[in-house]
Each structure stands twice: as structure tokens, then as C-alpha cells.
Amino acid sequence: GIEWAVFGEDLFLASCAQDCLIRIWKVCTKSEQFPETEDDSIRLKENVFTVKDTDTAYAIALESVLAGHENWVYAVHWQPSFSKDGSMQQPMRILSASMDKTVIIWEPDKESGVWLEQVRVGEVGGNTLGFFDCQFSPDGSMIVAHAFHGALHLWKQATVNKKEWTPEVVISGHFNSVEDVKWDPEGEFIISVGSDQTTRLFAPWKRKQETEVTWHEIARPQVHGYDMRCLAMIGRFQFVSGADEKVLRVFRAPKNFIENFSNITGIPMEKLCSHQSPDLPEGATVPALGLSNKAVFEGILILDYLVPYLSMLYKCLSEPPPEDHLLQNTLWPEIQKLYGHGYEIFCVACNNSNTVIASACKASKKEHAAIILWSATSWKKLQSLSFHNLTVTQLAFSPNDKFLLAVSRDRNWSLWRKQDSSESGPVFSCCAYTDKNTAVHSRIIWSCDWTPDSKYFITGSRDKKVIIWGQCNLSVTTEGNMLDSIKPCSTVLDAGDSVTAVSISHVLTPDGRYIVAVGLENGKIILYTWKQSGQEPTLADWTMCVEMDNSQSHALAVKRLCWRHHAGRAGHNDQNSSEWLQLASCGADHCVKIFNVNRFAL
């Protein structure tokens, strides 16, 4: 890093390097009049040079060396100059950021003029690597820095004690592709997972005096060692996630999160805790060499990894936590691991009564492409459903829980029907599928979803086609009839680019049409409505309502779309008015977006 500053007639240059030091150099004009006196006083060596075609000589001297960082110093900046009484004033203050996880403000001492460290801020703990860059606010009362893991940090100077700097609320998000996003069943927060190995929870922040609702990351339930791939909510405060490993991990919210969530969103505790068990742990922590979040209970100090920040862990938050808090104090305890797949987990789904989880892993052979069903109460393996030959890319339970739909890289879909419950739990059997002869898609099917009445399902593929299939009629008893009765119910919709995500809203338009969101590989999101018209599909069944413009779309492929389950907007008190719907999307461009959709305007 290198930066100039002007002080009156003199120029100062601050530089920083991998030797952990900051150097300040002074450049001043050297007057010819005064001959050098040959005294023995100790002076810094000066380098003198003249500028071509002028007689002016300049002298460069090393003004100071600042040693305080313990690792490479990536950035050094002067506090911005400001105008005072008509002239520009340059404050004698320097800000430096280093890989030793600290940011330092340096100033010359009032008496001696020696440069000293005045303020040191930074982060403690967490699996981070330090800071890349930093900046002063124009008046020097705030510092923003960005860390190796893409996070922004903001500190503000206290008004009373000028030496005290406190962390402030700042925007945050994933620093790599976001692979999956889900709404909680009540529609009050979203959880997303990404290739940056984190699981993040975003919720609206309800401030007393503000009318505008702003969304913030309020917890990071999982900070993992593998790239995250997929997740499914199991009820309100429980989720299961899959990463580039063979196990699925189940997490449950600790008491501390529920309290903070209540404070930040303004939802009363009674409403949140009605169905929670009373013996919830306070929080979670990760052992030094482990990957599993271990529960921390109040009054128990766990000796194999003494938690230096136990007091921090139980901190009650009234605003979204700063980055250094998110890094380690908002983890959720891991309550279960599900072993059974032979390769990296690719997709996971949970049924609507929160009793069954379905998952699948990467596969190039039929034996590995089987879908595994797990009990969400005993966590035992219930069944293995073998049909596809290659990776199953998405799973979806129908809203009435009677069917499970799977779509695959082998360009086919399979539909599994729940049999009458036996002793061992629900048993699913294949009741319909496409094969070489009946397939409509000619490339990988990336995504699928159900209509809210469980009658139809939708598939979207790399071949740019979106198709709605049905009807899934429960009165059919024999296997054969069901197979014949499910065929395309819509005309084939050409989306214009590879379809990577589809989702159907649980709420219909006022005139009873299904609302379908389609996400494309080029980042575009398009909203359609669809209505079944007669027995044979007719051309008028699809209506394109909105094609998002480039400023609203993703810059890279849309990875997942997810509608909020109820009408209304999270954080607003318009749950009764059904004019608004919310759509969450995530993409390979590191973004998570939430759209407000007016269903009366579709």
C-alpha cells in the first residue's frame, strides 16, 4: 500500500509492506542558499534529486518507521483532508490494516512528535485471516475495513471518550456462490447456504422509530469446512443441511438465538416459544479441530475446549450482531448426523408435516443415485428409493405430503406415492416416471416444484423448457393407471435460456391462476401465470407477467427460487392484506435477493 498527503509545502508518503512495517517518508524542497555545515550532529540520510528543466532540488528523508503489526500490512491510508477557513487541512493521522486481524490508527505524540499507536480495533477468534483494506469516513469518526472472507467491519468513535471505538451494524452476505435459500414455515426469516462454507440467517430488523424495514444477517448457524450445497427447514427452528461431504447435519436453534430473534424482529417470545422444549442449550461452539457445533448449556463449562467468550455467548442483542459476533457466537448446536450416502450430498427436502426427510447425493451409477428417506423424529433411515441412473438434482414433497417428486441429471423425473402407513413409518412406491420414450426434456432437469393444491408439478431444464405435469389423482389405485394419467398439462414453455430454478407460489392470483417464477442460467428471473384450460393444453395457458430487468436480476446463474408460504411481507404488519407476496432468490453471483410481488398487478 502507498498513499500521498500534502502538508503545506511538504509532501508525505506512507507505505506498507510484507515486512510488517509502515514507513512515512517526507519530501521537501531543498534550498540552495544554505551551504551544508560540516558538524557532527546525527541526521537522517537524505536523498536529493532535481526535477528536469527546473533548478528546484528536493530532499527525501525517512520520517518514521511504525512497528506494531505482526503480519503483512495490506493497506495504509491518511485521514481525508477537509476544508477549514477556506484552506485544505490535512490531519496527521494514518489508518493501517493487516493480516494480523487488526486495524490501527497512528498519530504523532503531541509533545515529542513521535508517531504512536492510538487506537487498535479488529476481530478475535473465528477462522478468519485478517484485513485487506480500510478507510476513514470523511470526518474521521468512523472506520470501515474489509476482511479476507469478504466481510465488512465498521467501527464508530464514541462521542464522550474519543479513545473508545465500538463495532456498528453493517451489511453482510455470502462471499461465494449461494447454492440454496429457504423461508421458514411462518415466513419471518430466510436461511441460505453457499460455497463460502457458511449457513446464514437473514431477518427483517424492526426499529422502534423507523418505518422502513431493513434485512440483516442476524445469525450464522453453521460455519463449516466444506462448501455448502443444500438445506431444508424442519419446522420453525430446525434445519438439515448438506455439503460436499457424505453426511447430512441437523441443527436446532439455541435459546440465545430465539431471544435475540425476538428482540430484533419484534415478535414476542411467547409466540416463538410455544412449541419449543424448555431444555434448549444457550448456544454452540466448535472444538478447535472439529467440524461439529457442540451445544453449550448454562452453568456448565466444557473443559476440553474452554470457551473464553461464554459471557459474550449469552449477550442479549437488540440489533443485528456485528461481524466478529457472527463469526463465532451465533452458531446453532448440531443435534444429529445422518450417514448413508456414498458421495457428496446434492439435494435435500423435508415434508410439510416435518416427519420425513428425503436426500440424494452425486451419482454416476444407479446404485448411488438412490434417494434416502429419513425419519425426522427418530433420525433413522426409513427407505431407499432406487430409480434414477444419475444425480438427483432436486426433491420436492407435494403440499399434501402424499407424493414425493424427484428430477435428475438423467433427464427424467420420478413420482413416488405414499402408501398407507405401516408400522415402520410411511413407505413410498414409484407410481409414475418418464423414460427414454416418454421424456420431453432433452437435457438435465435442474429444478421442480408443486402447485399448492398438489394436483400439478413443474419441471425446468437446461434445454430451456418449462413443463407442468398432472394431474396427480389420488383416486387411482393401480400402478399402471397412474402412469398413464400423468402427462404434460401445459404447452412447452421456452424460457429463452437454460432454466436453473422454478418455484410456484402457494397463493394464487385473484382470478385463480398459478404464479410461477422461473430462474435462468444468465441470471434473469421471469414471472409467469398458468391456468389449466380444457383437456388438451392450448397456447393461451402461459402468460408472461414480468421479466426482471438487469438491475434487479442476478449477474450469474440463479441457483434457487423460494416463495414465502403466506401472503404478506415479513416484518410488515400486513399479514392480513394479501396483496403482497415475497420471493427469495439466490445466485452464483454471491447474492441473496428478496422481491416484493404485487399479485393484483400480475
Side-chain angles (χ1 to χ4, degrees), residues 233-246:
M233 299 295 299
I234 312 171
R236 189 84 196 271
F237 293 119
Q238 230 173 222
F239 71 86
V240 54
S241 69
D244 284 342
E245 52 173 351
K246 298 176 185 181

Side-chain angles (χ1 to χ4, degrees), residues 427-444:
V427 174
F428 282 80
S429 62
C430 187
C431 62
Y433 55 86
T434 54
D435 54 30
K436 276 202 203 65
N437 309 318
T438 53
V440 181
H441 290 296
S442 57
R443 303 295 300 276
I444 176 174

